[in-house]
Amino acid sequence: MSMKPLEFDRRYGELDLVFSAYTGMSADDEPGRPSEALHAYLRHTWHTRPWALATAERQIRDYARNPPGRLRLSLGEFYSVPDVGLLESAIQDWLFVVADHLKRSIEEGEVPPPASPRTHWEWHARFPELGQFLGGWFSQDMPDEFPDHDAAVRDYTGTTNPQLVARLAGELRELLALALEESDYALAMAELGMEVDPPQPYSPSGWLAYLVDGLGGFKADYGLGPAID
């Protein structure tokens, strides 16, 4: 039988989140150099859930020391390491390298400075509601589903909990605060799931700013107080 969710989280919950940061990335960690994927996990987690780092280190080290045996394999009560581009014989050593990097980061207080996301995983980890919004309402099917961009935004605000709409407004402001180049804003929006261009005559950052103003008005309509400029 498969493992129950609570037991899975206790054993592998944070380990699974670390491995998700390697999706589409190279697991090329070395003893003296963390991979870009692990850098992204450390950067995001230090600034959002620093207490989770110790859990990740423990779960990864425990898994490396005690890989699933025949009984756990037969019962299905084990965690299957995703394909990270390594030979099966190299997985255990890699796990110990990752755990050692996490341990050193914690013990030496190596907190990465705030920075723009650099991987697909990090964009979605930092801007989850914006990813839902852009990926769900502005995919390549958007022109077939809505007459224009504003109609798609109205559909989102009309079908989404106001608290999530407020969260989206906050994420939009945070993204704009990164002060990226226009080409980097276009890349960020693509990473977060947008598959159509912003409406004319807006640049990527101009449309994001336009959305902030529009969502602020929506908050006022729902009795959440006036929009904050």
Side-chain angles (χ1 to χ4, degrees), residues 4-5 10 12-13 17-18 26 42 55 60 66 72 76 90 106 113 116 118-119 143 147 157 165 169 194 200 210:
K4 294 182 179 180
R10 284 173 174 168
Y12 311 123
L17 188 58
V18 174
S26 297
L42 286 167
T55 300
I60 292 172
N66 303 286
R72 287 165 64 191
I106 297 167
S116 302
R118 298 176 187 173
T119 70
T157 57
V165 177
M194 188 167 182
Q200 294 294 329
Y210 168 80

Side-chain angles (χ1 to χ4, degrees), residues 138 148-150 189 194 196-204 207 210:
F138 293 94
D148 55 31
H149 289 62
D150 283 349
M189 292 159 69
M194 188 167 182
V196 296
D197 292 330
Q200 294 294 329
Y202 293 103
S203 65
W207 186 61
Y210 168 80

Side-chain angles (χ1 to χ4, degrees), residues 55-131:
T55 300
E57 188 272 340
R58 174 181 56 78
Q59 290 183 353
I60 292 172
R61 198 175 298 280
D62 286 348
Y63 187 91
R65 287 171 175 165
N66 303 286
R70 291 182 179 180
L71 177 59
R72 287 165 64 191
L73 288 172
S74 65
L75 294 174
E77 295 186 350
F78 71 98
Y79 180 85
S80 178
V81 177
D83 184 3
V84 292
L86 297 176
L87 295 176
E88 185 175 351
S89 59
I91 292 293
Q92 186 177 43
D93 288 342
W94 171 69
L95 291 172
F96 280 123
V97 169
V98 171
D100 288 345
H101 279 307
L102 291 169
K103 181 181 179 181
R104 181 166 53 254
S105 180
I106 297 167
E107 291 183 340
E108 298 182 7
E110 296 178 353
V111 182
S116 302
R118 298 176 187 173
T119 70
H120 181 78
W121 173 87
E122 192 177 6
W123 279 111
H124 283 268
R126 185 164 173 179
F127 300 102
E129 189 59 27
L130 184 53

Side-chain angles (χ1 to χ4, degrees), residues 1-228:
M1 60 182 177
S2 61
M3 188 177 298
K4 294 182 179 180
L6 181 59
E7 185 64 19
F8 179 90
D9 284 346
R10 284 173 174 168
R11 291 188 184 182
Y12 311 123
E14 196 64 25
L15 172 152
D16 185 58
L17 188 58
V18 174
F19 290 164
S20 69
Y22 284 84
T23 302
M25 303 292 293
S26 297
D28 55 356
D29 304 88
E30 298 177 359
R33 183 185 60 81
S35 65
E36 185 65 28
L38 188 56
H39 268 303
Y41 171 81
L42 286 167
R43 185 165 46 245
H44 179 72
T45 307
W46 263 115
H47 292 284
T48 56
R49 302 180 307 120
W51 57 87
L53 293 165
T55 300
E57 188 272 340
R58 174 181 56 78
Q59 290 183 353
I60 292 172
R61 198 175 298 280
D62 286 348
Y63 187 91
R65 287 171 175 165
N66 303 286
R70 291 182 179 180
L71 177 59
R72 287 165 64 191
L73 288 172
S74 65
L75 294 174
E77 295 186 350
F78 71 98
Y79 180 85
S80 178
V81 177
D83 184 3
V84 292
L86 297 176
L87 295 176
E88 185 175 351
S89 59
I91 292 293
Q92 186 177 43
D93 288 342
W94 171 69
L95 291 172
F96 280 123
V97 169
V98 171
D100 288 345
H101 279 307
L102 291 169
K103 181 181 179 181
R104 181 166 53 254
S105 180
I106 297 167
E107 291 183 340
E108 298 182 7
E110 296 178 353
V111 182
S116 302
R118 298 176 187 173
T119 70
H120 181 78
W121 173 87
E122 192 177 6
W123 279 111
H124 283 268
R126 185 164 173 179
F127 300 102
E129 189 59 27
L130 184 53
Q132 289 286 338
F133 171 67
L134 294 179
W137 276 263
F138 293 94
S139 69
Q140 60 185 353
D141 297 326
M142 174 259 171
D144 298 325
E145 298 176 354
F146 304 102
D148 55 31
H149 289 62
D150 283 349
V153 175
R154 286 194 296 271
D155 185 76
Y156 167 83
T157 57
T159 58
T160 303
N161 187 288
Q163 295 183 43
L164 295 179
V165 177
R167 183 176 300 168
L168 173 64
E171 290 182 12
L172 285 167
R173 291 181 184 275
E174 182 177 352
L175 179 55
L176 288 168
L178 296 178
L180 305 176
E181 299 290 338
E182 285 300 330
S183 59
D184 292 327
Y185 274 116
L187 176 62
M189 292 159 69
E191 289 280 8
L192 289 166
M194 188 167 182
E195 298 177 337
V196 296
D197 292 330
Q200 294 294 329
Y202 293 103
S203 65
S205 65
W207 186 61
L208 294 174
Y210 168 80
L211 288 174
V212 171
D213 292 338
L215 293 174
F218 170 79
K219 288 193 293 182
D221 291 342
Y222 270 79
L224 299 177
I228 300 176

